[in-house]
Amino acid sequence: MLADGKIDSLDTHLEQFKLNDQTRQVDLQNLLKEYSQLLDDYKVLKKAYEDKDVKGGSKAIATPTVPMLAAAKPRNPYVLVLVDGNDYIFNDELIREKEEGGMRAARMLNDAVEKYLQQSVPQARTARVIVRIYADLTNLSKQLAKSRLIGLEKRSISPFSAAFTRAISLFDFVDALDEEGTKFKIREQFKLASEDTACSHILYAACRDAAYLSQLVPYSGVREKITLVQGAGWNPEFHQFNLNVTQFPTIFRWSDLPVTTPIKGSTPMAPKQKAAVQKPMGPSAPARDSWRRESSMSVTDSAFGTDVFNNLSPPHTNGFGEHDRVGWENRSAYTQHPKNTQQDAQKDTQLCKYFQKGFCRYGNKCNFQHIPKGFDGINGSSTHPAPASSRASPATTTDRTNISSALPNSIIPGFIPLNKNAQRLDMYLTPPTDHEWKIYNTRFHKSKPCNAFHLQRICATFACPYDHSELEPEAKRVLQYVLKCAPCPRKGRCRVADCCYGHVCIKEGCVGLAKGCRMKAELHYVVEECQVSSLVPVDDEGEEKPEEGGVGVGVGEWDGMGQGHPLW
């Protein structure tokens, strides 16, 4: 058996071992904690290094600290609206108002961007809105002057751009001198904003020129960062990036500027020349009128500022105050038609009654004079403004041969397309085929369909006597076409969203003389008037709704399209 001293010694050693073991456990726990902290610091350091490497920054490694991690969150976030002003042009009504239009355009754009951010970009709802518009103001002013929206000064758009810049502190409309300067500024601003962590979102309004495509390739699918803005001349190749797309149709034009030749200033006439025009005398007067008719000119050419003698040099005049017509004597009415001299002279002085009403099917081939109603024919003035259809030259007054390409082929929900005269336009519909007419006539003779139910999906008539059963697709298309051929009571002033009546004659080439055309003469817009100039929101308040009744095709009438299909 062990002695008592030996037992006490072993007991002492055991207690000592337990104390040492507890100390080692504490040291091990501290070591593990330090190791874990070291791993966390290493991960943070590695992430910071990789971020700097991706952004092309310096690869110098700094020890991560708490202030550095807190600074990673962006301060003062902002949203950049980047606009190519050469392609994205503001609506006509804003451009015409000059300074007031520029300030109103800035406020409208700010409201539209904030509304979009609230609905579609939640992470940027509280961010500041910065707008940068770059354009060649000289060339832009020239284009707008050709469309007669502003004056003929070299930089006539400057009052608008300056007012836009002054309206809101973070909005700038900058002159980039030329198109290359515009592209350079757009690229650099986009590169700077895309690398800036404070930039929450970019609205990219430069989606017409293919030169911008390469810059968006690295950001394909990054919807939380970039949104494309659709406008006039949208390039469909931008769809390949799978980015969100929005529109601001009440601010930017939805169609290209109309191609219009600017009016040239006419050369002032001498008193003797003006007297000769007022009182033509002698045999040269019929010869002059015959020459004008053969060369497709009339009194209207000089009435609206076009000088018919601008291209003649030198400016010698004869006894009647006109330029010498060397070699024109053989082209006069006396030498060409000696038997019909009096009849031709009578036609030269007789006005075309159809042109006075706003249309003439013969155009510049008409034998009668095309003078706008109210034009006095003496000094190029008018007793009262002529209608829009008579202000154009005779060659383009009745040009409706290609309205299918001018009218819109689709309608944006919630907006109504308008032409340059603020008149409503309809989407072009192709005429129904014989097969579709046959299906519709069969259905119509069986039971008259309800227009409101089938085209607006709502019928508020109690005990409606018309048919509400489902229509065949062919019959529904014919019904839509038939109603579009009937004039809306409000004509071009209508702003009802689902108005099924017509606001412009959509028949190709129809000038209002065809039998069966129910559209008035003023609704037969020419090709230039069928182009979309702007979009306005729908306004259903206070508008008259179309009747719910079943208006359809009746037997034995003619639709005026050269076919035997009846029209209601």
Side-chain angles (χ1 to χ4, degrees), residues 202-372:
I202 301 176
L203 275 81
Y204 194 75
C207 303
R208 179 170 182 171
D209 197 333
Y212 296 115
L213 289 170
S214 59
Q215 193 173 28
L216 292 176
V217 172
Y219 302 94
S220 179
V222 188
R223 295 192 172 191
E224 66 277 3
K225 185 70 174 180
I226 302 173
T227 295
L228 304 180
V229 180
Q230 189 174 7
W234 164 270
N235 192 334
E237 294 186 14
F238 282 88
H239 283 301
Q240 64 179 315
F241 301 119
N242 194 26
L243 298 173
N244 292 327
V245 180
T246 187
Q247 308 92 12
F248 301 129
T250 59
I251 302 173
F252 297 108
R253 290 182 60 90
W254 195 252
S255 62
D256 294 330
L257 288 172
V259 180
T260 306
T261 304
I263 297 178
K264 298 180 181 179
S266 58
T267 305
M269 298 179 64
K272 292 183 179 181
Q273 293 177 322
K274 185 178 295 186
V277 175
Q278 294 176 2
K279 297 180 180 181
M281 52 189 301
S284 297
R288 176 182 67 244
D289 294 339
S290 177
W291 162 72
R292 285 185 175 181
R293 184 176 71 253
E294 291 177 7
S295 57
S296 302
M297 290 187 179
S298 64
V299 182
T300 55
D301 293 324
S302 60
F304 294 99
T306 302
D307 188 3
V308 297
F309 301 117
N310 277 345
N311 296 327
L312 298 179
S313 177
H316 301 300
T317 58
N318 55 22
F320 297 100
E322 297 181 348
H323 293 260
D324 293 334
R325 296 187 297 272
V326 180
W328 293 348
E329 293 80 1
N330 296 329
R331 300 174 58 186
S332 65
Y334 289 98
T335 57
Q336 289 185 356
H337 307 286
K339 296 182 180 180
N340 300 327
T341 301
Q342 296 180 355
Q343 183 179 358
D344 290 344
Q346 182 180 2
K347 288 184 177 181
D348 290 338
T349 57
Q350 186 175 355
L351 300 179
C352 177
K353 62 180 181 180
Y354 296 104
F355 184 83
Q356 294 288 320
K357 296 179 181 179
F359 55 87
C360 176
R361 67 167 69 184
Y362 298 105
N364 61 339
K365 296 181 181 180
C366 182
N367 292 328
F368 302 98
Q369 289 190 10
H370 283 187
I371 300 179

Side-chain angles (χ1 to χ4, degrees), residues 516-541:
C517 181
R518 306 175 68 90
M519 293 292 185
K520 301 296 182 181
E522 60 268 20
L523 296 181
H524 287 77
Y525 303 152
V526 297
V527 175
E528 295 178 354
E529 296 174 329
C530 291
Q531 296 177 349
V532 180
S533 177
S534 61
L535 297 175
V536 296
V538 297
D539 183 13
D540 291 341
E541 297 182 0

